[in-house]
Amino acid sequence: MKLTLIAAVLSVSLVACVSTDNPTKNTNNTSVETLTPSATLAPSDQTESLVLNNNIITLEQIMADPDWFGRAPESWYWGDDSNTVFYKQKQLGNPLRDLFVKHLATDKAAQQVNLSQHHIVADNNAKKNANGSLEVYSFEGNVFVKNVVSQSVTQITHTSAHERNAMFLTNGNIAYRIGDIFYAHNLTSGQVVELANLQMTDKPKAVKAPSSYLAKEQHKLISYIALQHRNSKLTEQQQLQLAKQNHTITETKYYFGQGNRVSHASLSPAGDKLLVSITEAKSSRDDSDIMPNYVTNDGVIAAEKVRARVANNRQYQETLFIIDLNKGEKSELKFQSLPNYDTDVLAKVKQENYARAGKTYQSKKQARNIHLMQMWFPVKWNENGSQVALMLEAWDNKTRWLTTVDFAKNTLTTQHQLHDDAWVNYSFNEFDWVGNDALYYLSEESGYAHLYHKPLNSNKAQQLTSGKFEVSNVTLTQDQQRFIFKANIKHPGIYEIYQVDLAKTVTALTDLGGMNDYALSPDESKLLIEHSSLTMPPELYVQPLSADKQAKQITHTVTEQFKSMPWAAPSIVAIPSSNQKAPIYSRVYLPTNYGQATEKNRAVMFTHGAGYLQNSHLGWSGYFREFMFHSMLVQQGYVVIDMDYRASAGYGRDWRTSIYRHMGKVEVEDMRDGVNWIVENANVDPKRIGTYGGSYGGFLTLMSMFTEPDLFESGSAIRLVSDWAYYNHGYTSNILNTPEDDAIAYERSSPIYFAEGLAKPLLINAPMVDDNVFFEDTVRLVQRLIELEKQDFETAIYPVEPHGFVQPSSWLNEYRRIYELFESTL
């Protein structure tokens, strides 16, 4: 069977979608009824081309190295003059990246930055001094200081050690960290002072007099022993006096005990305090957590060490300390001051599980395991170093606390508590200081992620944004009066850039449509925007800080070959739900004359991975191969639907948590609604619908085919999860708790328990060096299917592939099999 059958070639225009309500003031009145890229984009020779032509989309082209259609700008940032833009771009044919600079004052193309100059422009995360004239940053483990006006760069350290966390102190010195040692560096004198040396050992014991009977008698009877003790005591006393009387001696060691490690440490800008979080120096993985790698350089099977399973149930906690560097004192910050620190938040869950086993669970208060939230910067000091804010979370995933520290009492002060009976989102936890006496933070407490402002001396926070949309990527302006952010205000699938002030006035700053991410220029006059649309990969644009100004495209990385192809632009459809009021937003790909054909259409449902991911947006999808595959299917007369089922990102807290304790139920209900919709509205034969998806999408392929066998005629599960007890802790315990506490949730959410329901052809595609979803999930499921005497399934293995395939040959083989499955069964 040829894989490039000729069929109708088409381009489907975007259609109107249901817009979300917008109760927030928006100064931009652009209509959102037509979901097409906005005309405010500057014309260029890189515009989208969806004109019908004679190009035939083939699997061979789709699954080739993606370099063929373009190498989008990556890791982009502003130069500190606000007139240059830096970005990385992948080299053609290999994984290396080059750094480019684009000068906005000229129309010349971006220039590659010479490797010898990389240290000069590596200041995208630099920290400035008080007046903004200097900035400090690290590059390849060394510290540099740049004069912002003259652009001169001075290398401060030149060592084989790895200096990091470079910052300016309020006294004008800089500070940095090497391992667990913190240093201050005087830029005028060049003197380096050790501020703190964090020792993961027990504190050395002082010389003690004999205490036991035997020891006392030994000292009486054996002169040598008594002499040695006296000499040790004299040496100890002399060292103590030397350190006390000689100011050149450094005594900055702080001891945290054998068997521990530093989880996080953060130095105050004043250089007088250090916040340290300590945890047990123990791997979360078990010795049995290995992954066999069969295709190795030396031909010998390698047992790769991989992540732990959630079933290992290793409970995690940290201990917080504040070190007063001036006094040389270390104090523990205990969690007892946190509200609900000892609440049994899983009482109802445990009662249900105990009852199933014929037992009774007695709830009692017990200190919860608490730690700094796992995010890039869970500790933030205010500008003058007088106060610090911490984002803490409970190991059970139900509560987070935003706290400050009462330094007089060395206790935590709760500024905000967010509790969720399901789980606190791992996104939308941004926070920072507004001046020295107020905080801003994101919270889902209203049902959607919104921005809040809270003075430290107030018991109540002010909600600055509201509505059925989600706020993220917050930037506070230098006057500390406005917040710039990204949000999907006008439609769940359109992300624009906005600003809000303390009076709650929201103003749109962009009107580009599609998907937009941004960086504010250092002088706050412009936005650097990464913009993409349904059928066009990301490019960079620059726009003045106003929506009525035109955005100018500054990169042109998409190839002419890609733009000449007849890609099918999906419609974004709000499919009505039979289970709730909110619709299910979906990408729907329709062939030409889909409603006029005498024979009903075939259809394929693609199910996106990750669970908490949004794919039915109006930007370029990370599933770009699938987008191209769907365009090929449309050429051949298929209808394709791709749904943001419940649990997907972008639609608020209730949508996200609807799968709590029962994954694979509400999602399959939504999949059925999608099937019914295309049957009723796209002339689809209900007996000619197949499904496929990878990772979480592979899991849902299994759950739909095992629990609702009438729904699809065939399906392909890629890098599938068959038993959630074998997946990782961080993701799985959020949704299902742990197997020890909530076996009920795991058993009703894992496909392996429902494998007897398989009644239609199933193709399993499994990478073997997958350190995310282990190959073991496939092996155990296949054995289960064998024991159930199921016949209508096949397994394809990919020996050198990780979770996300890399080799084009593997991609091609995988999708040939999927294509052939649909061609032979639909």
Side-chain angles (χ1 to χ4, degrees):
M1 181 191 308
K2 290 188 176 180
L3 301 179
T4 55
L5 300 177
I6 298 177
V9 181
L10 77 159
S11 164
V12 181
S13 299
L14 301 179
V15 297
C17 293
V18 177
S19 175
T20 54
D21 294 333
N22 177 17
T24 306
K25 179 181 177 182
N26 185 345
T27 61
N28 189 316
N29 296 316
T30 302
S31 170
V32 298
E33 291 302 312
T34 303
L35 298 177
T36 54
S38 170
T40 58
L41 284 174
S44 76
D45 59 357
Q46 302 293 313
T47 55
E48 295 183 20
S49 176
L50 296 175
V51 180
L52 298 180
N53 54 47
N54 294 321
N55 288 343
I56 303 302
I57 303 172
T58 69
L59 279 173
E60 289 79 4
Q61 184 67 72
I62 293 170
M63 301 302 160
D65 188 315
D67 284 358
W68 77 268
F69 67 78
R71 292 164 290 131
E74 305 171 358
S75 304
W76 36 270
Y77 62 96
W78 283 103
D80 48 28
D81 64 353
S82 298
N83 285 307
T84 53
V85 169
F86 294 90
Y87 64 89
K88 291 183 179 180
Q89 187 176 34
K90 180 183 175 297
Q91 292 183 4
L92 187 65
N94 70 64
L96 300 181
R97 266 66 176 169
D98 294 318
L99 182 65
F100 288 84
V101 58
K102 167 64 179 173
H103 297 279
L104 300 182
T106 72
D107 292 327
K108 293 181 180 179
Q111 302 293 313
Q112 184 175 339
V113 179
N114 193 292
L115 290 176
S116 64
Q117 302 298 304
H118 276 211
H119 67 286
I120 298 176
V121 298
D123 55 345
N124 51 314
N125 293 313
K127 304 296 183 183
K128 290 187 177 181
N129 63 352
N131 62 19
S133 61
L134 300 175
E135 58 183 24
V136 63
Y137 58 93
S138 59
F139 171 75
E140 295 296 317
N142 284 304
V143 177
F144 296 80
V145 170
K146 177 186 285 189
N147 185 301
V148 176
V149 176
S150 69
Q151 292 291 289
S152 61
V153 174
T154 303
Q155 184 168 358
I156 303 301
T157 65
H158 200 295
T159 72
S160 59
H162 187 82
E163 290 95 8
R164 58 192 176 102
N165 297 355
M167 60 186 288
F168 271 102
L169 300 177
T170 54
N171 63 6
N173 293 341
I174 63 171
Y176 50 83
R177 175 180 178 180
I178 302 176
D180 290 334
I181 306 176
F182 290 77
Y183 298 92
H185 189 122
N186 188 305
L187 293 178
T188 302
S189 67
Q191 184 185 47
V192 177
V193 176
E194 185 176 289
L195 298 175
N197 185 339
L198 309 182
Q199 294 283 305
M200 298 302 108
T201 60
D202 296 326
K203 186 175 182 178
K205 296 180 180 179
V207 179
K208 294 183 179 180
S211 58
S212 69
Y213 172 78
L214 292 179
K216 291 177 180 178
E217 293 305 304
Q218 189 82 320
H219 280 246
K220 285 181 185 177
L221 297 172
I222 308 298
S223 299
Y224 171 78
I225 297 297
L227 180 63
Q228 292 298 104
H229 178 266
R230 187 207 66 171
N231 291 344
S232 296
K233 192 67 177 177
L234 289 172
T235 301
E236 178 185 70
Q237 291 172 350
Q238 185 183 53
Q239 287 299 118
L240 289 173
Q241 289 300 314
L242 178 63
K244 185 177 181 179
Q245 298 178 31
N246 193 314
H247 69 277
T248 67
I249 305 298
T250 299
E251 287 292 334
T252 61
K253 291 182 178 180
Y254 297 90
Y255 298 90
F256 293 91
Q258 192 71 35
N260 292 320
R261 65 176 176 85
V262 177
S263 174
H264 192 91
S266 181
L267 179 66
S268 160
D272 62 341
K273 294 181 179 66
L274 184 67
L275 189 134
V276 183
S277 181
I278 301 298
T279 191
E280 191 177 9
K282 178 181 177 182
S283 174
S284 62
R285 59 178 299 278
D286 190 84
D287 290 340
S288 63
D289 293 327
I290 62 170
M291 177 186 68
N293 186 353
Y294 292 93
V295 184
T296 58
N297 292 333
D298 58 8
V300 177
I301 298 174
E304 309 284 0
K305 295 180 179 179
V306 288
R307 60 152 176 85
R309 297 166 174 82
V310 65
N312 291 358
N313 200 45
R314 184 213 157 184
Q315 302 199 18
Y316 179 81
Q317 65 178 345
E318 296 173 5
T319 305
L320 293 179
F321 295 90
I322 192 72
I323 301 176
D324 187 320
L325 299 178
N326 291 332
K327 296 180 180 179
E329 296 175 353
K330 178 186 70 170
S331 302
E332 182 178 351
L333 298 173
K334 296 183 181 296
F335 297 129
Q336 281 86 334
S337 62
L338 301 178
N340 301 308
Y341 88 97
D342 59 353
T343 301
D344 187 359
V345 295
L346 289 172
K348 291 183 179 179
V349 168
K350 293 178 180 179
Q351 287 167 0
E352 181 183 349
N353 280 268
Y354 270 59
R356 187 180 72 160
K359 299 184 294 184
T360 300
Y361 175 75
Q362 296 294 331
S363 178
K364 61 180 180 180
K365 288 185 175 293
Q366 184 177 355
R368 298 158 73 183
N369 292 323
I370 298 173
H371 54 85
L372 288 172
M373 181 162 275
Q374 295 180 355
M375 55 191 293
W376 282 114
F377 301 104
V379 178
K380 301 276 183 77
W381 291 89
N382 62 2
E383 187 175 343
N384 65 19
S386 62
Q387 190 49 268
V388 64
L390 303 82
M391 187 66 81
L392 299 166
E393 65 177 331
W395 181 79
D396 53 47
N397 312 306
K398 308 297 187 214
T399 313
R400 80 170 197 199
W401 298 268
L402 177 58
T403 76
T404 51
V405 176
D406 183 338
F407 293 115
K409 299 178 181 178
N410 286 327
T411 58
L412 296 170
T413 302
T414 300
Q415 299 295 336
H416 178 255
Q417 177 189 208
L418 177 64
H419 179 81
D420 196 310
D421 287 337
W423 74 94
V424 173
N425 200 343
Y426 58 77
S427 297
F428 307 126
N429 296 303
E430 297 173 48
F431 73 98
D432 212 332
W433 288 92
V434 182
N436 288 311
D437 301 307
L439 293 164
Y440 75 79
Y441 59 87
L442 295 182
S443 172
E444 281 188 317
E445 62 199 73
S446 69
Y448 290 81
H450 282 294
L451 180 62
Y452 294 78
H453 173 263
K454 184 184 183 300
L456 297 189
N457 59 5
S458 172
N459 292 325
K460 188 176 181 180
Q462 179 187 33
Q463 184 174 343
L464 299 180
T465 61
S466 61
K468 293 182 178 180
F469 58 90
E470 296 188 326
V471 171
S472 64
N473 297 12
V474 180
T475 302
L476 176 64
T477 57
Q478 293 174 18
D479 62 9
Q480 302 195 343
Q481 297 298 308
R482 295 169 294 135
F483 303 86
I484 297 176
F485 60 91
K486 169 183 169 181
N488 53 348
I489 292 179
K490 60 187 181 183
H491 182 275
I494 298 177
Y495 287 82
E496 302 283 4
I497 313 306
Y498 300 86
Q499 73 175 16
V500 63
D501 58 24
L502 293 175
K504 304 183 184 180
T505 302
V506 175
T507 306
L509 298 179
T510 64
D511 186 25
L512 301 177
M515 181 67 71
N516 301 284
D517 286 288
Y518 80 99
L520 181 64
S521 63
D523 66 1
E524 299 188 345
S525 67
K526 297 182 282 290
L527 295 173
L528 174 60
I529 304 165
E530 181 189 72
H531 169 75
S532 69
S533 65
L534 282 164
T535 58
M536 191 61 63
E539 297 282 13
L540 294 181
Y541 293 74
V542 170
Q543 178 186 305
L545 202 64
S546 174
D548 59 359
K549 303 295 183 180
Q550 197 173 62
K552 180 180 179 181
Q553 185 173 346
I554 64 169
T555 62
H556 304 278
T557 61
V558 180
T559 66
E560 292 301 322
Q561 181 184 5
F562 176 85
K563 289 187 286 185
S564 70
M565 298 294 289
W567 306 119
S571 302
I572 306 300
V573 180
I575 292 177
S577 169
S578 61
N579 298 282
Q580 58 175 8
K581 292 182 180 180
I584 312 152
Y585 285 89
S586 306
R587 291 187 173 202
V588 178
Y589 300 74
L590 299 172
T592 301
N593 301 322
Y594 66 92
Q596 287 75 45
T598 55
E599 182 181 1
K600 287 187 176 293
N601 298 309
R602 299 176 290 176
V604 167
M605 176 178 287
F606 168 67
T607 308
H608 70 69
Y612 190 62
L613 176 147
Q614 185 177 17
N615 204 43
S616 295
H617 54 73
L618 266 42
W620 181 249
S621 172
Y623 291 101
F624 57 86
R625 291 182 181 85
E626 288 74 7
F627 159 72
M628 293 187 281
F629 180 54
H630 298 162
S631 292
M632 188 194 86
L633 292 177
V634 165
Q635 277 195 339
Q636 300 178 22
Y638 285 83
V639 170
V640 181
I641 184 171
D642 168 4
M643 307 186 77
D644 275 346
Y645 48 80
R646 274 174 284 175
S648 298
Y651 306 95
R653 179 266 173 196
D654 291 348
W655 195 268
R656 170 179 67 82
T657 62
S658 60
I659 59 171
Y660 179 56
R661 299 192 65 221
H662 199 163
M663 301 162 82
K665 181 179 184 293
V666 300
E667 307 97 301
V668 174
E669 291 176 351
D670 292 345
M671 293 166 75
R672 182 172 289 280
D673 283 337
V675 165
N676 291 339
W677 190 90
I678 59 175
V679 168
E680 295 171 6
N681 296 278
N683 196 31
V684 167
D685 185 342
K687 298 298 183 182
R688 302 180 72 193
I689 305 174
T691 186
Y692 83 105
S695 195
Y696 200 94
F699 154 70
L700 288 180
T701 296
L702 295 179
M703 288 298 274
S704 61
M705 295 188 70
F706 291 175
T707 64
E708 301 287 341
D710 66 311
L711 197 53
F712 300 110
E713 290 303 300
S714 61
S716 177
I718 308 168
R719 45 193 177 275
L720 57 89
V721 176
S722 66
D723 190 338
W724 286 107
Y726 287 73
Y727 198 52
N728 68 35
H729 175 89
Y731 179 95
T732 321
S733 65
N734 277 338
I735 306 169
L736 301 179
N737 302 308
T738 66
E740 180 180 0
D741 293 329
D742 202 357
I744 291 174
Y746 280 81
E747 292 165 21
R748 67 187 177 196
S749 300
S750 296
I752 198 167
Y753 290 93
F754 304 96
E756 66 273 11
L758 179 64
K760 304 285 181 63
L762 171 65
L763 170 64
I764 297 172
N765 293 327
M768 293 183 68
V769 287
D770 189 340
D771 59 0
N772 183 2
V773 179
F774 296 154
F775 183 58
E776 183 178 15
D777 271 68
T778 292
V779 172
R780 294 179 69 243
L781 177 63
V782 167
Q783 181 60 28
R784 177 70 176 147
L785 293 172
I786 291 171
E787 292 177 0
L788 290 169
E789 299 184 0
K790 299 294 182 180
Q791 300 181 54
D792 212 356
F793 74 94
E794 293 185 357
T795 305
I797 62 173
Y798 296 88
V800 302
E801 293 298 347
H803 192 65
F805 281 22
V806 176
Q807 301 304 317
S809 57
S810 298
W811 280 108
L812 179 60
N813 182 280
E814 178 179 55
Y815 274 78
R816 275 176 171 165
R817 292 175 185 273
I818 296 170
Y819 176 76
E820 289 171 355
L821 172 72
F822 294 147
E823 284 290 284
S824 62
T825 59
L826 306 182

